[in-house]
Amino acid sequence: MFDSRHIRTFHAVVASGSYSAAARVLGYTQPAITQQMKALERAVGTPLFTRVGRKMQLTEAGESLSRHAETILGNLSAAEAQLRAYARLRTGRVRLCGFPSANVTLVPEALSGLAKDHPGVQVELLEGEPPESLRRLERGECDITLAFTYPGLHEEIPEEVTEVRLLEDQLTVLLPTGHPLARRRAVHLADLAEERWIAGCPRCRANLLHECAELGFVPDIRFATDDNLVVQSLVGQGLGVAMMPALVLPSLSLNRVCGRALQPAARRHIAAYVYRDHLRIPATAVVLDALKRVAANRVGC
């Protein structure tokens, strides 16, 4: 309804007492001030000033607008300052949804660098396994989501969502430290055909079944959990072996479990997903850049 320029001019007229005085303060011509006030009166639908002799006097509507004008202009100034801060990356909030192994490794390292370079950018960290993490992005619950896929699995994403490949993560086998195969640098998956298995999330379990089927056996899955600490504990107690991404290996309790490369080699693909329009938001862009820098330093990228 109101043009903010007209509100500023109105406030200057009220403060200075006349159109001519407001023109001097604002650096406008008096006719320009007159035209702006006429436009404002047309917008509100009623006169804001009357003349009493040579003096200008506010109408009741003018008095009401005058009481609000300072607050309106103060809020506009605050909004302008905040938007400048967003544009200059002094502030901003980004909701990042990651899967557990990324939230333990990639994300903390990326956020550490971000905190040094852009301390005003706040990241709200969420957690979810794919494909649910991608659904959260589609529902608007996060701004960036991290997800992984396995060879042969195509991720269904909306046309307006951009996939940013981060790295390829080597798959390993997690064994108790006393396991006979733990002495090897690499373990052939077929050598584990008689083992009890601990499976991960549904997507990881499906990949385990596929990899084993390629070698002609069905794994004896005794437990299933997407909690990497629980997997470690179960393996450490000798209750089974597990297929584990190399991304998790630095967080292992190595006195109880060990990770060994799998043969034949297998990998999962890790990517970030973001709506294309969000790439133009500075805070979202710098979080994505931080993730890409950390991923580039990982083996297998």
Side-chain angles (χ1 to χ4, degrees):
M1 181 178 181
F2 299 135
D3 185 320
S4 63
R5 294 171 301 171
H6 296 166
I7 298 295
R8 292 185 192 280
T9 302
F10 171 79
H11 184 63
V13 170
V14 174
S16 62
S18 70
Y19 286 1
S20 58
R24 289 192 296 273
V25 170
L26 297 175
Y28 295 160
T29 63
Q30 184 171 331
I33 298 292
T34 301
Q35 290 303 316
Q36 287 195 41
M37 291 303 91
K38 286 182 178 180
L40 182 59
E41 288 181 332
R42 286 195 299 270
V44 300
T46 187
L48 299 173
F49 299 98
T50 59
R51 285 194 174 275
V52 179
R54 301 187 63 178
K55 293 183 180 181
M56 296 186 62
Q57 187 172 353
L58 288 169
T59 64
E60 187 176 1
E63 291 280 3
S64 178
L65 182 58
S66 179
R67 288 193 294 271
H68 290 291
E70 192 165 346
T71 300
I72 292 170
L73 294 175
N75 288 340
L76 281 172
S77 295
E80 288 168 356
Q82 189 169 18
L83 291 173
R84 284 195 297 270
Y86 285 133
R88 296 171 184 170
L89 285 176
R90 288 200 295 266
T91 188
R93 182 174 71 96
V94 178
R95 298 164 300 166
L96 173 62
C97 182
F99 52 91
S101 55
N103 282 351
V104 169
T105 50
L106 286 178
V107 172
E109 190 174 342
L111 297 189
S112 175
L114 187 72
K116 295 175 184 176
D117 298 335
H118 304 286
V121 176
Q122 298 179 351
V123 178
E124 179 182 343
L125 186 58
L126 310 171
E127 188 167 284
E129 296 277 7
E132 175 57 25
S133 57
L134 287 158
R135 304 294 83 81
R136 297 191 74 170
L137 179 70
E138 293 177 33
R139 293 194 297 265
E141 296 174 6
C142 59
D143 305 302
I144 301 173
T145 196
L146 301 177
F148 59 85
T149 58
Y150 291 101
L153 175 63
H154 175 68
E155 201 69 80
E156 295 291 338
I157 59 173
E159 184 178 344
E160 60 270 26
V161 169
T162 296
E163 178 187 52
V164 181
R165 287 293 183 98
L166 295 178
L167 59 87
E168 292 190 351
D169 191 17
Q170 178 81 38
L171 295 180
T172 66
V173 62
L174 197 62
L175 304 167
T177 51
H179 195 285
L181 296 178
R183 294 191 294 270
R184 300 183 185 179
R185 295 186 61 183
V187 176
H188 199 287
L189 186 57
D191 293 338
L192 301 168
E194 302 303 319
E195 296 285 343
R196 293 170 299 183
W197 283 84
I198 298 143
C201 69
R203 181 167 288 192
C204 295
R205 178 178 179 141
N207 181 69
L208 171 64
L209 292 170
H210 171 76
E211 296 284 346
C212 294
E214 289 288 299
L215 297 175
F217 74 95
V218 177
D220 178 14
I221 297 176
R222 297 294 182 90
F223 304 96
T225 174
D226 59 3
D227 189 317
N228 291 317
L229 289 176
V230 174
V231 173
Q232 289 184 47
S233 296
L234 293 172
V235 173
Q237 292 295 329
L239 295 172
V241 299
M243 191 176 283
M244 181 70 68
L247 197 62
V248 180
L249 295 184
S251 63
L252 292 180
S253 176
L254 296 178
N255 61 324
R256 298 176 59 196
V257 297
C258 60
R260 295 292 180 262
L262 269 174
Q263 294 177 338
R267 295 175 181 270
R268 65 175 183 171
H269 309 295
I270 297 176
Y273 297 85
V274 59
Y275 276 95
R276 199 168 294 114
D277 285 349
H278 286 197
L279 292 172
R280 297 187 292 114
I281 300 174
T284 301
V286 296
V287 172
L288 193 58
D289 286 343
L291 290 166
K292 288 191 288 187
R293 282 196 300 271
V294 169
N297 293 326
R298 292 276 172 175
V299 174
C301 178

